[in-house]
Amino acid sequence: MAQISLTFPDGNARSYDAGVTPAQVASSISTSLAKKAISATVNDKHWDLQWPIDGDATIAIHTMKDEVQANELIRHDLAHVMARAVQEIWPDTKVTIGPVIENGWYYDFDRAEPFTPEDLGAIEKKMKEIINKRDEVRTEVWERDRAIQHYTDNNEPYKVELIESIPGDEPLRMYWHGDWQDLCRGPHLQHTGQLPGDAFKLMSIAGAYWRGDSSRAMLQRIYGVAFTGKEKLKAHLTMLEEAAKRDHRKLGREMDLFHMQEEAPGQIFWHPNGWKIYTQLQDYMRRQQERGGYVEVNTPQVVDRKLWEASGHWEKYQENMFIVEVDEEHAREKAVNALKPMNCPCHVQIFNQGLKSYRDLPLRMAEFGSCNRYEPSGALHGIMRVRGFTQDDAHIFCAEDQIEAETKKFIDFLSVIYKDLGFEKFSVKFSDRPEKRSGSDEVWDKSEAALKAATEAAGCAYELNPGEGAFYGPKLEFVLTDAIGRDWQCGTLQVDFVLPERLDATYIGADGAKHRPVMLHRATLGSFERFIGILIEEHAGKLPFWLAPRQVVVASITSDADDYVMEVVAELKKAGVRAEADIRNEKINYKVREHSVGKVPVILAVGHREVEERTVSVRRLGEKQTKVESLENVTKALAVEATPPDLL
Ligand SMILES: [Zn+2]
Ligand SMILES: [Zn+2]
């Protein structure tokens, strides 16, 4: 028999009969590895232990310690086991597809009766039984016709349709978990006993159209999550619970920050409390931009398609733009405009007014730019993903040899802001040249080198995303990690050689000749709307004092204290603190509870004793104890706390 050579991760090679399977390779190493093995990587491909290897190859045998492969297999095998469990309990259910997704899997079923939340418990129980049976996983390759015949005989029309939609006539792979069979590319585990019975959970049921087509059958989708161990499952479930508690849509209601309604999908109605956060943040950003040497501009919302054609957005971005047709007076045709989806082309219009010289560069042009983008309704999410939003946008027009210094300056600028807003750490992703791109390799070399050097000079490590840059230049992305471990990409800096060319931006160099400026598109927060959503979730509604929309409520304990309450409110306001009175005829505990739900950071309670002693009883959000202090000291301390960090 022909021999093949398999090379192991440690570099050693051994010779085997051609057609050897990874299961046999594992056995040849040790019985314990043969038992523990879950799959292999053969020539960089995830490989089932049962699949033969026909030629020389590299091989690595995986066990549950290999998290990436283990998670994939566990989630994938559980999809099969769940489908088997469902069909064992309800034999008239038809199966469709069940892919692995982030943290778990789902499977779509066709069943006349709807699944109930109680059914999930029954399915989980059946799945655990199947796991305990340690049923062997077996695979065979079938001729297409045989597979179609098999599914036709078993009355599984969705599987027949799936096979018919697979192009070509190559044979198909079948998998069995015990006697239960499914069409599947694999790989899979050795037997169901390798699944961790205590590290998965069925989460929810949702409707889903077959093949995502609303004219086809409505199926029932069951979602599950799974991990390599029960501790990891527990951590995940805790994170979900935390995320639900912090959900900005829920807190937005409780704190009376904003609402959204059907008549304006993806657009925000800001209430006074929410708008207070927004304007505080905007004032702060405006001060930082002034310190950072930016000039602030403002540009039109409704712009003729001619500009979008010139900038390239009409061709590349039209499906995300709101198009507005107007019967313009005196015009022979309808004027076609679009709401701006981004500010860049408008900023070039300002740059192009009047002659620019090298002495004007770098020109840092900032705008709190209101943009509208058409997002499919399914993609909208609270104030995090909307159709109408305002970017903290800026474009730095500079010469090529200024890219590095300007990038470094921006990273320093952004670091201060993130820190002020409560994020101590952020990570940087660097995306370099994609396959399809404009500009010469020489220009790309220079701009990539400039971004790298600037990032290093700013003391940041970066992760490389090869080939993920825009077609017009490389980019940096700045990612925040929040209190419960979720990542949010907020800041960005993109080098652009193309737009200045398309919109004919020029400056006169020291040599007296015309040159093209480079544009750096950059944003720190991204959009105010999304960033406020992130802030609310990061702080679970307990915003830093200076950003809290309602900072202090002064509440009376008895009506005799009403006058003093008003005096305290007036003192605090004079000191620059947002204070309000609560002199309703309610019990103090009731008032405290209500304002705690509203996430008011400080409640000052006053009764007889406080009136007489000119003190207040201070209660901080989340603390049980109160502390009696003099009005003068409290006012001084709160005035400092209410000062934005850049003004301290
Ligand atoms: Zn499968
Ligand atoms: Zn831009």
Side-chain angles (χ1 to χ4, degrees):
M1 182 169 285
Q3 294 288 297
I4 59 168
S5 166
L6 297 184
T7 307
F8 292 87
D10 61 8
N12 286 324
R14 281 169 76 166
S15 128
Y16 290 90
D17 290 342
V20 70
T21 65
Q24 292 162 340
V25 173
S27 288
S28 77
I29 296 166
S30 76
T31 356
S32 79
L33 182 63
K35 262 191 204 160
K36 279 193 300 193
I38 54 170
S39 65
T41 292
V42 175
N43 286 343
D44 297 327
K45 199 168 171 281
H46 200 189
W47 204 265
D48 197 287
L49 292 173
Q50 302 178 50
W51 296 348
I53 306 165
D54 295 323
D56 291 352
T58 56
I59 184 169
I61 308 276
H62 300 301
T63 66
M64 283 295 173
K65 286 199 178 116
D66 299 307
E67 198 83 9
V68 174
Q69 289 80 11
N71 275 327
E72 187 189 322
L73 291 167
I74 288 169
R75 290 160 188 169
H76 187 180
D77 280 81
L78 281 168
H80 284 238
V81 168
M82 180 172 81
R84 171 178 159 185
V86 167
Q87 285 200 317
E88 282 184 11
I89 306 174
W90 300 283
D92 57 341
T93 307
K94 304 206 184 321
V95 288
T96 66
I97 53 158
V100 169
I101 53 173
E102 198 186 1
N103 299 317
W105 78 91
Y106 68 75
Y107 207 110
D108 288 348
F109 299 100
D110 185 5
R111 177 177 171 239
E113 288 281 298
F115 290 112
T116 65
E118 293 72 48
D119 290 342
L120 295 187
I123 299 168
E124 261 182 29
K125 192 164 158 253
K126 178 64 83 179
M127 288 170 74
K128 283 176 188 165
E129 283 170 29
I130 296 169
I131 291 170
N132 285 335
K133 282 184 182 158
R134 304 172 68 83
D135 277 340
E136 183 200 11
V137 177
R138 197 161 61 74
T139 179
E140 282 178 15
V141 173
W142 280 15
E143 289 303 321
R144 210 179 156 94
D145 293 345
R146 183 182 174 196
I148 291 178
Q149 192 57 51
H150 169 83
Y151 281 120
T152 310
D153 294 347
N154 283 283
N155 193 19
E156 292 285 10
Y158 297 98
K159 291 287 179 191
V160 173
E161 192 183 326
L162 274 180
I163 296 174
E164 282 168 346
S165 71
I166 299 172
D169 52 3
E170 66 261 42
L172 300 165
R173 190 166 278 286
M174 294 292 178
Y175 267 92
W176 285 260
H177 285 68
D179 291 331
W180 191 84
Q181 179 261 11
D182 203 354
L183 168 77
C184 176
R185 254 179 253 134
H188 277 288
L189 295 166
Q190 291 193 42
H191 57 83
T192 60
Q194 285 186 315
L195 286 165
D198 57 358
F200 77 91
K201 186 170 164 53
L202 303 188
M203 301 296 286
S204 58
I205 308 155
Y209 290 110
W210 169 236
R211 318 220 102 178
D213 178 347
S214 61
S215 68
R216 307 293 307 269
M218 172 61 94
L219 305 171
Q220 299 187 65
R221 175 172 296 178
I222 301 180
Y223 286 96
V225 294
F227 299 87
T228 50
K230 69 173 176 199
E231 287 312 310
K232 291 195 178 100
L233 173 67
K234 216 176 127 203
H236 179 73
L237 296 177
T238 310
M239 190 278 285
L240 289 182
E241 252 172 57
E242 258 311 304
K245 266 190 248 164
R246 291 162 180 260
D247 191 318
H248 72 281
R249 294 165 300 180
K250 172 178 162 282
L251 289 165
R253 265 191 311 277
E254 290 172 2
M255 298 168 72
D256 192 16
L257 302 178
F258 55 81
H259 85 272
M260 302 178 86
Q261 62 187 55
E262 266 176 30
E263 288 80 357
Q267 310 273 346
I268 304 166
F269 292 80
W270 286 104
H271 298 191
N273 289 341
W275 194 243
K276 187 52 86 180
I277 305 176
Y278 189 110
T279 51
Q280 285 295 312
L281 192 58
Q282 196 178 54
D283 291 349
Y284 166 81
M285 289 304 292
R286 181 168 279 138
R287 291 191 300 270
Q288 290 292 18
Q289 282 175 184
E290 253 165 49
R291 285 185 199 108
Y294 290 83
V295 289
E296 189 179 323
V297 299
N298 197 272
T299 60
Q301 296 282 312
V302 183
V303 180
D304 195 286
R305 74 180 268 181
K306 288 190 202 84
L307 182 61
W308 304 116
E309 280 167 355
S311 69
H313 288 91
W314 193 260
E315 188 200 343
K316 290 247 164 64
Y317 204 69
Q318 201 185 131
E319 60 185 32
N320 292 90
M321 289 161 72
F322 284 94
I323 313 290
V324 189
E325 287 191 7
V326 193
D327 281 311
E328 200 83 64
E329 241 184 315
H330 311 303
R332 300 233 172 97
E333 302 164 43
K334 269 188 196 312
V336 181
N337 303 296
L339 298 188
K340 70 173 165 185
M342 35 191 101
N343 310 297
C344 344
C346 291
H347 288 189
V348 181
Q349 305 314 303
I350 296 183
F351 182 88
N352 284 353
Q353 296 293 306
L355 212 56
K356 294 286 179 303
S357 99
Y358 67 97
R359 286 189 211 90
D360 297 315
L361 306 186
L363 198 166
R364 308 182 192 96
M365 195 184 287
E367 178 173 4
F368 298 130
S370 288
C371 297
N372 283 278
R373 290 181 194 172
Y374 178 77
E375 298 272 2
S377 55
L380 301 176
H381 177 71
I383 64 171
M384 300 270 212
R385 188 101 184 250
V386 288
R387 289 179 179 168
F389 56 92
T390 302
Q391 295 176 313
D392 66 314
D393 199 10
H395 294 94
I396 302 169
F397 296 85
C398 64
E400 251 175 63
D401 61 5
Q402 293 173 321
I403 298 175
E404 185 178 330
E406 284 304 305
T407 303
K408 162 81 167 55
K409 193 173 153 73
F410 174 63
I411 298 174
D412 292 342
F413 173 85
L414 163 143
S415 310
V416 169
I417 291 168
Y418 285 176
K419 205 167 172 199
D420 277 354
L421 295 171
F423 298 94
E424 289 293 327
K425 269 195 282 182
F426 61 88
S427 57
V428 184
K429 290 189 176 150
F430 174 67
S431 302
D432 64 5
R433 67 192 77 185
E435 277 220 346
K436 276 194 190 161
R437 58 180 181 264
S438 317
S440 69
D441 282 352
E442 191 203 342
V443 167
W444 276 88
D445 287 343
K446 270 197 237 165
S447 48
E448 284 172 1
L451 290 198
K452 274 186 197 164
T455 312
E456 279 157 15
C460 297
Y462 59 82
E463 186 190 314
L464 187 67
N465 282 343
E468 293 292 307
F471 76 95
Y472 50 77
K475 68 175 174 196
L476 296 174
E477 288 171 317
F478 303 89
V479 182
L480 296 174
T481 302
D482 74 7
I484 54 173
R486 297 174 301 179
D487 283 344
W488 303 96
Q489 191 244 306
C490 293
T492 171
L493 181 139
Q494 308 194 7
V495 182
D496 188 351
F497 295 96
V498 174
L499 197 61
E501 176 96 39
R502 292 191 74 124
L503 298 179
D504 196 25
T506 57
Y507 68 93
I508 307 298
D511 56 2
K514 267 190 182 177
H515 295 268
R516 289 255 179 249
V518 181
M519 260 175 107
L520 307 181
H521 307 255
R522 114 286 174 280
T524 310
L525 307 179
S527 84
F528 281 95
E529 291 76 4
R530 181 164 169 273
F531 201 87
I532 290 171
I534 295 169
L535 275 176
I536 294 169
E537 299 203 355
E538 161 74 8
H539 296 287
K542 298 174 193 166
L543 294 168
F545 195 77
W546 67 279
L547 274 175
R550 304 168 66 203
Q551 293 175 323
V552 179
V553 169
V554 187
S556 57
I557 297 171
T558 88
S559 59
D560 301 349
D562 288 359
D563 289 346
Y564 182 57
V565 166
M566 301 318 286
E567 192 189 332
V568 174
V569 168
E571 281 296 308
L572 288 167
K573 280 189 174 167
K574 208 163 71 188
V577 178
R578 291 189 281 282
E580 56 195 274
D582 184 352
I583 51 172
R584 290 175 301 169
N585 187 20
E586 299 283 357
K587 289 251 170 15
I588 187 69
N589 286 342
Y590 174 88
K591 294 181 183 179
V592 168
R593 237 187 345 265
E594 190 184 280
H595 299 309
S596 299
V597 171
K599 298 285 186 284
V600 176
V602 173
I603 298 170
L604 303 180
V606 300
H608 286 297
R609 187 179 137 197
E610 285 80 9
V611 174
E612 269 163 37
E613 296 174 354
R614 293 195 61 79
T615 55
V616 288
S617 176
V618 185
R619 183 192 284 266
R620 295 252 166 195
L621 183 61
E623 287 174 14
K624 287 242 155 59
Q625 281 93 339
T626 58
K627 206 170 142 200
V628 177
E629 288 187 70
S630 77
L631 174 59
E632 199 190 332
N633 286 350
V634 167
T635 307
K636 264 190 211 152
L638 290 178
V640 172
E641 249 184 280
T643 309
D646 62 310
L647 298 179
L648 278 173

